[in-house]
């Protein structure tokens, strides 16, 4: 489930970077990793990106996974397997593997456009064996405080999210005050 939109959400340059990597034509970067310290808005940027992709009809399947542990990642994929494929929920690992296998492009089936968001990856080792497959019809967006090469190898692109610029800070502060009738 997508997190609710932040009160006074501010558009940032990083949001443009996310969209440009997919919409630039040619070879697209299909896995992007948002990195930065806690509280800079990585999850809100990911939620905005996912909400925009869904609302515009750019994806057929959207899966949001809280990825703070290996078991949470497995459980998220398993839940997607249950909901999308109606697999047996009794074996979460098998359900998760079935879902990842379903994401693989197949020549004899109509392509399904999908977006997987892995929010708050705490340990890159937790992702070993759980990266979604590379597909021209799929995208992956990761948020994390970590910066290890394991998160950005294999064609994954890092987008560093920093603090608000002075202009972004002023715009946010102004919007929050206006939302509370303080002008």
């Amino acid at each position: 489930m997508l997190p609710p939109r932040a009160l006074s959400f501010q558009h940032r340059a990083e949001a443009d970077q996310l969209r440009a990597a997919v919409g630039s034509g040619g070879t697209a970067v299909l896995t992007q990793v948002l990195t930065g310290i806690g509280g800079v808005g990585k999850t809100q940027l990911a939620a905005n990106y996912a909400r925009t992709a869904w609302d515009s009809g750019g994806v057929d399947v959207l899966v949001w996974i809280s990825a703070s542990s290996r078991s949470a990642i497995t459980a998220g994929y398993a839940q997607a397997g249950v909901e999308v494929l109606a697999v047996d929920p009794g074996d979460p690992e098998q359900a998760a593997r079935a879902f990842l296998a379903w994401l693989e492009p197949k020549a004899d089936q109509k392509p399904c456009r999908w977006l997987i968001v892995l929010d708050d990856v705490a340990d890159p080792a937790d992702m070993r064996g759980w990266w979604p497959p590379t597909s021209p019809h799929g995208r992956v967006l990761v948020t994390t405080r970590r910066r290890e090469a394991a998160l950005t190898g294999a064609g994954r692109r890092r987008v560093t999210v920093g603090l608000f610029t002075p202009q972004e800070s002023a715009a946010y502060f102004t919007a929050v005050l206006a939302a509370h009738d303080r002008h």
Side-chain angles (χ1 to χ4, degrees):
M1 181 154 109
L2 283 174
R5 187 176 176 113
L7 177 66
S8 304
F9 176 80
Q10 293 296 305
H11 180 81
R12 300 173 72 175
E14 291 86 347
D16 295 332
Q17 290 177 20
L18 291 173
R19 284 180 187 78
V22 174
S24 62
T27 303
V29 176
L30 302 175
T31 299
Q32 300 182 84
V33 180
L34 291 172
T35 65
I37 63 173
V40 295
K42 298 176 300 290
T43 296
Q44 283 300 316
L45 283 166
N48 182 65
Y49 179 83
R51 191 172 287 109
T52 300
W54 181 259
D55 291 346
S56 71
V59 294
D60 303 310
V61 173
L62 169 60
V63 178
W64 185 282
I65 297 175
S66 294
S68 59
S69 68
R70 188 165 180 86
S71 62
I73 295 163
T74 304
Y77 284 139
Q79 183 64 36
V82 169
E83 292 182 23
V84 174
L85 306 172
V87 298
D88 179 11
D91 185 347
E93 177 122 357
Q94 183 178 352
R97 297 265 176 230
F99 178 71
L100 285 177
W102 179 78
L103 296 176
E104 290 278 352
K106 296 163 187 65
D108 60 337
Q109 293 180 356
K110 179 182 180 228
C112 176
R113 300 164 305 157
W114 50 265
L115 170 61
I116 308 294
V117 179
L118 297 158
D119 186 35
D120 194 26
V121 171
D123 184 351
D126 291 340
M127 290 303 303
R128 211 169 295 127
W130 289 119
W131 285 104
T134 300
S135 167
H137 310 291
R139 294 180 258 168
V140 181
L141 183 56
V142 175
T143 70
T144 185
R145 294 180 185 190
R146 307 289 292 264
R147 296 177 185 266
E148 283 91 329
L151 289 167
T152 56
R156 295 181 286 272
R157 176 179 167 261
R158 179 179 20 222
V159 177
T160 302
V161 180
L163 300 173
F164 275 172
T165 65
Q167 295 82 6
E168 290 167 336
S169 295
Y172 177 76
F173 190 59
T174 301
V176 168
L177 288 174
H180 291 91
D181 290 325
R182 307 267 194 232
H183 301 282

